[in-house]
Amino acid sequence: MDDRTVTDQATRKRFGAKTALLGAAGCVLLLFPLVAPNAYQVHIINTAGIYILISLGLNIAMGFAGQYNLAMGPLWGVGAYTAALLNTRLGIPLWLNLPASMVAAGLVGGIVGLPSMKVRSHYLAIVTIGLGEVINIVLVNAQGLTGGPDGISRIRMPTLFGFPLDSDKRYYYVILLAVVVGFLFARRILRHRVGRSFRAIRDDYQAAKAMGVNTAYYQILAFVVSAVYAGAAGALYAHLDTYISPDIFDFNSSLFILTMTLVGGMGSLVGSIVGALALPILQEYLRVIKNWQLVGYGVAIMVVVLFVPGGTMELVRRFRSSRLAGRLWARNPASGKVRVGETDVP
Amino acid sequence: MFLEIESLTMQFGGIYALKEVSLAVEQGEIHGLIGPNGSGKTTTFNVVSGYYKPTSGSIRFEGAGITGLPAHKITAAGFARTFQNLRLFSSMTVLDNVLVGMGHHAKTGLWREILNPAAVRREESRFVGDAIHLLELFGIAGLADHPATGLSYGEQRRVEIARALATKPKILLLDEPAAGLNEVESDELRGTLKSIRDSGVTILLIEHDMKLVMGVCDVITVLDYGRKIAEGPCESVSGDPVVIEAYLGKEDEP
């Protein structure tokens, strides 16, 4: 058997394995609410799904385009308040207020991104923290509109053709759909020109300009796209909890989102899913330690930044190229051969 | 006139990096820009390619004023440049580096990516074909899928020039392309520069390697302390006492 046929077979095998894995994952995802022991666990997963959306947004801006948007929590709030107000004041259902929330958050996100024209990296991070605080202060103080610190309650859960999606188990499917669409959308826009322009700006801002990349446009675009994700997550969150208040969308929430994205893996969309599933679940089961959670985030960020800048996904990559993985893979002669082929060039 | 720089002045605080420099580049020539360190060569590049807004003076390209335009518009007008220190996109493969350069010819943006993915795929495969072809010309097509920063210095230099050519420029600004190259690579570069010129791209070249400069340039402009001190064909410039003084100092200085 020459190398080529081995490679082909291995590719086919890998493709088959991938399809099977995806199918299995799909079944688990679809059946999860039916097999979950109680509604509360579904609620936790629903919340995690919302965090996945926000984390995808942050990853696009920060992981791919290098634009530090630390106003994600407040931007999430813009989406949530837009949806909540449209729903409670005008009776507009989720299906219509969701796009409105995305537009509103996207607009505010574009404004938050304006300082990126003047400042970069950690300076930009600090400015966006400040602008996020401004948004939060508006939510607290514009009492006539936002209800102030009391927030907005009695947000109605949506119905689908008269069928009420009024429980966590039913609402789960709405969030699942949003996460799948959000993930595929991100993958698509990052695959070609837009993604390359983002990465070019992150890698070398000056060289990107010389290559004809309209850096100003793509920087603002990165902020807008991340905010649109936060906005969608906000609308979904408002209808999930049916009650929102400004303290949910403060700087701590931005920090929480940053932590999960870093832990999952900056620059990897799958990393966002991993991080945004892991942290809310951990948070749920670590309620006993209360404020020490913040210490945990701090430690997690430091460990990741210092030792594994690529987060969990980098650990996965390291494992795959390690000797141990090589030995495990080598049990399968076909794919073992492919690994050699892949690595024999320096 | 193809590229016309007129009494360009660039002031940083009290220091003149360029003072009243005028320079004309004809289409189809390789125009050398030389001078001792700190004489304003790279500053000239940075002003022309839109990184700095000049304090005064004007730049015209093919008859149109381009003074002070943002860098990506200058690129769109037909300029490409390389950098003195390698500035490849470090997280990308060689191929992706070149594809970034092709990006500004793309008709596809965010919306087409969502609404018409088939058109995007077609465009992408055309770009990949063009990029591979470009890499073949530089003899590095075999490295297309390698991380750009894992290459040898000479290879990275070639990627940088290929990436600049991917923007399909009318004029190429090369900032010390021979820096760090050995004798053989430097000789190869000379051939490369000539074939780029023969393909219809004008070159403005900053270089300290005098053998290379004298070997390829049609015209040379010499800068010293931000002023133009000489201009002309190689022979006349290399014998010019003012130029020799700028490089080596005065002969009878006490």
Side-chain angles (χ1 to χ4, degrees):
Chain A
M1 219 171 2
D2 65 304
D3 269 6
R4 198 184 179 87
T5 38
V6 172
T7 315
D8 282 354
Q9 265 190 359
T11 315
R12 218 173 298 139
K13 212 167 205 169
R14 219 188 277 166
F15 182 74
K18 214 174 173 182
T19 319
L21 205 70
L22 271 176
C27 284
V28 170
L29 285 173
L30 284 173
L31 294 175
F32 171 72
L34 305 176
V35 296
N38 58 51
Y40 187 62
Q41 266 143 5
V42 182
H43 185 81
I44 295 172
I45 294 298
N46 282 350
T47 312
I50 282 162
Y51 279 122
I52 290 176
L53 280 175
I54 314 175
S55 177
L56 284 172
L58 180 63
N59 218 329
I60 292 169
M62 199 165 154
F64 286 86
Q67 303 302 306
Y68 294 8
N69 181 356
L70 294 190
M72 285 303 275
L75 288 168
W76 178 33
V78 171
Y81 270 86
T82 308
L85 286 171
L86 287 174
N87 185 262
T88 54
R89 301 264 173 108
L90 303 171
I92 295 171
L94 173 68
W95 317 120
L96 295 174
N97 69 39
L98 176 75
S101 302
M102 290 161 72
V103 171
L107 286 174
V108 179
I111 295 168
V112 170
L114 286 178
S116 68
M117 305 290 97
K118 290 282 173 200
V119 288
R120 254 180 284 291
S121 73
H122 39 295
Y123 300 104
L124 180 60
I126 291 167
V127 176
T128 57
I129 290 172
L131 289 171
E133 283 306 293
V134 171
I135 296 170
N136 199 261
I137 288 166
V138 170
L139 294 182
V140 174
N141 289 294
Q143 284 205 338
L145 187 66
T146 64
D150 294 339
I152 300 173
S153 53
R154 287 197 294 278
I155 303 159
R156 280 179 297 279
M157 291 192 86
T159 59
L160 186 63
F161 304 119
F163 179 76
L165 302 169
D166 54 357
S167 70
D168 268 307
K169 290 190 175 185
R170 288 174 181 177
Y171 197 62
Y172 169 87
Y173 292 100
V174 178
I175 290 180
L176 179 63
L177 180 69
V179 168
V180 170
V181 170
F183 180 79
L184 294 177
F185 178 84
R187 222 175 52 158
R188 172 165 286 174
I189 63 166
L190 292 172
R191 189 171 283 172
H192 303 126
R193 183 187 173 200
V194 177
R196 271 198 301 269
S197 303
F198 279 165
R199 283 184 294 149
I201 291 171
R202 180 196 61 191
D203 283 358
D204 193 324
Y205 177 76
Q206 301 296 353
K209 283 205 284 191
M211 291 301 110
V213 175
N214 185 345
T215 48
Y217 170 79
Y218 281 104
Q219 282 174 291
I220 298 294
L221 182 70
F223 272 94
V224 171
V225 171
S226 67
V228 166
Y229 273 83
L236 290 167
Y237 180 79
H239 289 273
L240 172 70
D241 264 21
T242 71
Y243 164 73
I244 57 170
S245 61
D247 56 310
I248 301 166
F249 312 109
D250 59 4
F251 174 63
N252 279 340
S253 67
S254 297
L255 187 64
F256 186 47
I257 294 154
L258 174 70
T259 313
M260 65 180 69
T261 312
L262 274 170
V263 167
M266 276 291 169
S268 160
L269 295 176
V270 177
S272 268
I273 295 180
V274 173
L277 274 176
L279 259 75
I281 293 173
L282 274 177
Q283 190 191 37
E284 202 50 45
Y285 292 102
L286 294 177
R287 271 182 190 279
V288 277
I289 61 172
K290 288 180 186 148
N291 286 335
W292 286 93
Q293 282 181 355
L294 287 174
V295 178
Y297 301 159
V299 171
I301 289 178
M302 281 199 291
V303 168
V304 169
V305 169
L306 289 176
F307 301 110
V308 267
T312 312
M313 297 316 287
E314 186 176 328
L315 288 180
V316 172
R317 276 193 296 275
R318 279 189 200 171
F319 173 75
R320 272 193 186 164
S321 53
S322 69
R323 287 233 182 104
L324 176 64
R327 235 175 283 154
L328 290 174
W329 255 251
R331 276 190 203 154
N332 180 337
S335 46
K337 192 121 188 184
V338 170
R339 281 203 53 76
V340 175
E342 276 173 349
T343 49
D344 65 0
V345 264
Chain B
M1 188 50 75
F2 191 58
L3 172 64
E4 203 168 7
I5 297 169
E6 231 177 71
S7 57
L8 198 64
T9 299
M10 184 75 226
Q11 200 180 348
F12 296 105
I15 294 165
Y16 286 95
L18 292 174
K19 197 161 188 187
E20 306 275 319
V21 172
S22 295
L23 183 65
V25 180
E26 303 255 14
Q27 188 160 16
E29 71 182 9
I30 299 182
H31 193 122
L33 189 57
I34 64 170
N37 290 326
S39 58
K41 306 181 297 290
T42 300
T43 305
T44 307
F45 269 25
N46 284 339
V47 174
V48 171
S49 55
Y51 284 80
Y52 300 152
K53 280 192 173 50
T55 312
S56 66
S58 75
I59 307 161
R60 296 177 73 77
F61 183 63
E62 294 186 310
I66 57 163
T67 325
L69 285 181
H72 71 273
K73 290 215 169 123
I74 304 248
T75 305
F79 284 74
R81 68 170 294 181
T82 64
F83 296 89
Q84 201 171 330
N85 310 311
L86 289 167
R87 303 194 78 144
L88 293 175
F89 302 121
S90 54
S91 76
M92 298 190 204
T93 62
V94 169
L95 179 64
D96 276 340
N97 262 279
V98 176
L99 287 172
V100 171
M102 293 189 158
H104 82 101
H105 289 291
K107 289 181 195 70
T108 54
L110 182 69
W111 295 110
R112 285 277 291 280
E113 197 86 55
I114 300 157
L115 301 172
N116 195 351
V120 175
R121 264 197 299 276
R122 272 198 303 277
E123 190 179 67
E124 179 80 1
S125 65
R126 203 184 72 230
F127 280 165
V128 170
D130 289 354
I132 294 285
H133 180 68
L134 199 55
L135 289 173
E136 273 166 1
L137 293 179
F138 283 85
I140 43 177
L143 301 170
D145 289 328
H146 281 249
T149 42
L151 270 49
S152 78
Y153 197 80
E155 286 163 346
Q156 291 194 39
R157 281 265 173 226
R158 279 187 272 174
V159 175
E160 219 187 26
I161 298 175
R163 185 180 70 170
L165 286 176
T167 65
K168 298 200 177 75
K170 292 171 185 158
I171 180 166
L172 181 60
L173 278 51
L174 296 170
D175 197 345
E176 296 194 28
L181 298 190
N182 62 33
E183 197 86 349
V184 180
E185 289 171 326
S186 181
D187 275 347
E188 277 172 14
L189 179 66
R190 184 200 309 218
T192 308
L193 295 184
K194 282 184 170 159
S195 67
I196 292 171
R197 191 253 325 263
D198 295 341
S199 72
V201 180
T202 309
I203 295 176
L204 186 56
L205 172 73
I206 295 179
E207 189 48 70
H208 281 302
D209 181 341
M210 283 306 143
K211 200 175 134 211
L212 179 70
V213 171
M214 295 303 163
V216 297
C217 290
D218 303 302
V219 187
I220 296 174
T221 299
V222 190
L223 296 180
D224 190 30
Y225 290 114
R227 291 165 197 270
K228 183 162 92 173
I229 57 167
E231 189 168 57
C234 299
E235 313 79 54
S236 76
V237 166
S238 62
D240 192 325
V242 183
V243 176
I244 294 167
E245 186 193 319
Y247 272 93
L248 301 174
K250 234 187 182 128
E251 212 170 320
D252 291 319
E253 223 156 358

